[in-house]
């Protein structure tokens, strides 16, 4: 699993609103997928993560026909587009396509984004990799290239009120929590340790994904961890 900034001027904002109104919506109200929507997310890392803050931009493109079915498409500013299958069961990511790929590449297995019913207690699992865990003295430093695990997601509320850093208050929102563990050799004293990976996501009705956080904390030793917070820009 980045925040949205309305285009700075009123005319551009109006254009974005008109595009959204005229484009068919493929996703549920919690995760609308309307061609023409553009969302900017302000991404902050804590100092331990050793990464610079950045802005991510997601653009929802026109739906595409792939493997005989129509799929919603969202393009990430880091150079990859994701294809989503939307039906009564929910929304799942089924393929991706980098800017240099001639065709979409199927995921090893479909990855749920949101699973119906959209109510407290609904659970699902996905494969995840560490975003922030790094080796101090080995290469590649990023563990994402060598490790993966299963994350369990659960809707903990479908009536949450979310206050953004800008002061904007949104409700109702789905609050989804993901939890996973990686068994890693952290240092000679503690040996192998179950390192927790924790994600929080907030999907607000009619708005989509508005905020998410990721925490990967590890004891001092051979590894470093950190936290990431991404929030839609106004």
């Amino acid at each position: 699993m980045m925040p949205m900034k309305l285009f700075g001027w009123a005319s551009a904002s109006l254009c974005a609103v008109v595009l959204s109104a005229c484009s068919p919506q493929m996703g549920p109200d919690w995760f609308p997928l309307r061609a023409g929507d553009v969302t900017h997310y302000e991404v902050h890392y804590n100092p331990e993560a050793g990464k610079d803050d950045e802005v991510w931009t997601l653009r929802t493109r026109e739906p595409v026909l792939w493997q005989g079915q129509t799929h919603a498409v969202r393009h990430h500013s880091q150079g990859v587009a994701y294809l989503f299958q939307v039906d009564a069961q929910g929304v799942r990511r089924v393929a991706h396509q980098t800017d240099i790929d001639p065709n979409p590449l199927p995921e090893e297995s479909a990855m749920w984004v949101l699973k119906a019913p959209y109510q407290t207690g609904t659970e699902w699992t996905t494969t995840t990799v560490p975003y922030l865990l790094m080796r101090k003295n080995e290469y590649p430093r990023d563990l994402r290239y060598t490790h993966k695990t299963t994350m369990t997601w659960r809707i903990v509320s479908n009536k949450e009120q979310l206050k953004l850093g800008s002061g904007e208050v949104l409700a109702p929102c789905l609050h989804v929590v993901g939890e996973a563990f990686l068994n890693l050799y952290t240092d000679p004293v503690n040996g192998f340790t179950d390192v927790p990976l924790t994600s929080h996501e907030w999907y607000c009705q009619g708005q989509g994904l508005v905020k998410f956080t990721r925490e990967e904390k590890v004891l001092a030793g051979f590894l470093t961890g950190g936290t990431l917070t991404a929030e839609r820009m106004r």
Side-chain angles (χ1 to χ4, degrees):
M1 236 84 125
M2 320 174 270
M4 165 161 195
K5 178 182 181 180
L6 295 178
F7 307 134
W9 305 99
S11 59
S13 299
L14 178 59
C15 179
V17 171
V18 171
L19 278 172
S20 298
C22 296
S23 301
Q25 177 175 314
M26 289 193 66
D29 281 348
W30 301 108
F31 192 55
L33 293 163
R34 298 176 293 249
D37 278 5
V38 180
T39 308
H40 305 285
Y41 296 92
E42 194 169 25
V43 184
H44 296 287
Y45 300 92
N46 75 328
E48 184 184 356
K51 297 177 181 287
D52 295 329
D53 291 349
E54 55 190 329
V55 174
W56 294 346
T57 300
L58 270 75
R59 302 176 185 274
T60 305
R61 295 177 171 174
E62 293 291 336
V64 299
L65 188 65
W66 182 69
Q67 295 189 346
Q69 291 185 315
T70 300
H71 295 83
V73 182
R74 298 187 86 197
H75 183 269
H76 195 297
S77 56
Q78 292 186 330
V80 61
Y82 299 101
L83 275 64
F84 298 94
Q85 181 178 336
V86 181
D87 54 31
Q89 298 179 66
V91 181
R92 49 197 176 276
R93 197 178 89 199
V94 295
H96 64 275
Q97 183 177 7
T98 69
D99 291 347
I100 61 173
D101 291 328
N103 299 296
L105 303 173
E107 306 291 353
E108 290 183 13
S109 59
M111 299 179 64
W112 287 104
V113 177
L114 282 176
K115 192 172 184 179
Y118 307 113
Q119 60 188 32
T120 302
T122 297
E123 291 188 352
W124 63 91
T125 60
T126 62
T127 299
T128 191
V129 297
Y131 298 162
L132 304 165
L133 290 173
M134 304 272 285
R135 300 178 178 91
K136 288 184 178 179
N137 302 307
E138 297 179 52
Y139 292 89
R141 292 195 62 206
D142 287 339
L143 267 68
R144 72 179 67 189
Y145 302 115
T146 55
H147 291 74
K148 61 182 179 180
T149 187
T150 299
M151 178 165 277
T152 299
W153 297 87
R154 185 174 187 269
I155 298 176
V156 297
S157 174
N158 62 355
K159 298 178 181 178
E160 194 149 319
Q161 184 180 87
L162 178 65
K163 184 175 182 179
L164 303 181
S166 63
E168 183 181 10
V169 178
L170 300 172
C173 301
L174 284 181
H175 182 186
V176 184
V177 177
E179 295 181 313
F181 293 91
L182 271 177
N183 190 252
L184 300 170
Y185 188 74
T186 54
D187 60 50
V189 175
N190 295 288
F192 282 89
T193 304
D194 284 334
V195 178
L197 314 180
T198 306
S199 292
H200 291 261
E201 298 180 347
W202 289 267
Y203 297 83
C204 298
Q205 199 165 56
Q207 306 281 329
L209 180 63
V210 172
K211 179 178 179 178
F212 70 91
T213 65
R214 178 77 166 221
E215 183 177 73
E216 301 176 2
K217 291 290 190 179
V218 64
L219 297 173
F222 297 146
L223 305 171
T224 62
T227 60
L228 171 161
T229 300
E231 190 172 292
R232 188 189 72 179
M233 297 167 65
R234 189 160 183 165

